[in-house]
Amino acid sequence: DDADPFAEYKAAMARDAAGGATPAETLGMFIAALRANDDVAAAQLFMLDDNGSRAKWETRLTELKVQGVFAQMADDIERHAKPTKPAYEGDAGYELLNDDGTIGAIVDMELNTFSGVWKLQSL
């Protein structure tokens, strides 16, 4: 059987067009979704996992929305995110620095080569 075992995953990735043309654009879209208190839009900016799902992020973002921390997250990202050096082509990231200059959080991003948009990989 010559069928591609990854055909369904590749098709899902190709349809996954939520994101920006650059890492900065995707990060801006994420901040806008947080400011709009829109956990669904924020979750759509995350890369699909190996099972073609982003349920982990949907659940986590819903929890954070209920906790009422979206505005603070958006503020922190806007004020403290500094781009990092990519490890490979199609990789991007941001460090969120604490006031003392230490790293408080890392935002990993990756280019979805199937749809051509940048996606959040982890936060």
Side-chain angles (χ1 to χ4, degrees):
D1 187 4
D2 291 338
D4 181 354
F6 301 104
E8 189 175 316
Y9 177 75
K10 290 176 183 177
M13 291 287 283
R15 290 188 303 270
D16 189 18
T22 66
E25 186 177 350
T26 297
L27 192 63
M29 294 168 75
F30 184 66
I31 292 167
L34 294 174
R35 293 232 180 270
N37 210 34
D38 189 343
D39 55 322
V40 174
Q44 292 300 309
L45 296 168
F46 280 85
M47 185 75 79
L48 294 169
D49 66 19
D50 292 342
N51 297 315
S53 172
R54 59 175 62 87
K56 171 181 93 168
W57 291 109
E58 292 166 349
T59 300
R60 183 65 183 132
L61 288 164
T62 298
E63 291 168 355
L64 292 169
K65 178 181 177 178
V66 169
Q67 292 172 14
V69 298
F70 274 11
Q72 183 62 53
M73 287 175 63
D75 289 345
D76 288 345
I77 294 168
E78 282 184 328
R79 278 189 282 223
H80 302 291
K82 304 294 181 218
T84 60
K85 183 177 178 181
Y88 54 88
E89 189 173 337
D91 172 61
Y94 293 85
E95 295 175 337
L96 278 67
L97 304 177
N98 295 319
D99 292 334
D100 64 2
T102 59
I103 299 171
I106 296 175
V107 178
D108 288 320
M109 302 179 82
E110 189 171 330
L111 179 64
N112 177 342
T113 57
F114 295 95
S115 66
V117 297
W118 284 88
K119 305 293 283 187
L120 295 162
Q121 187 69 23
S122 65
L123 177 66

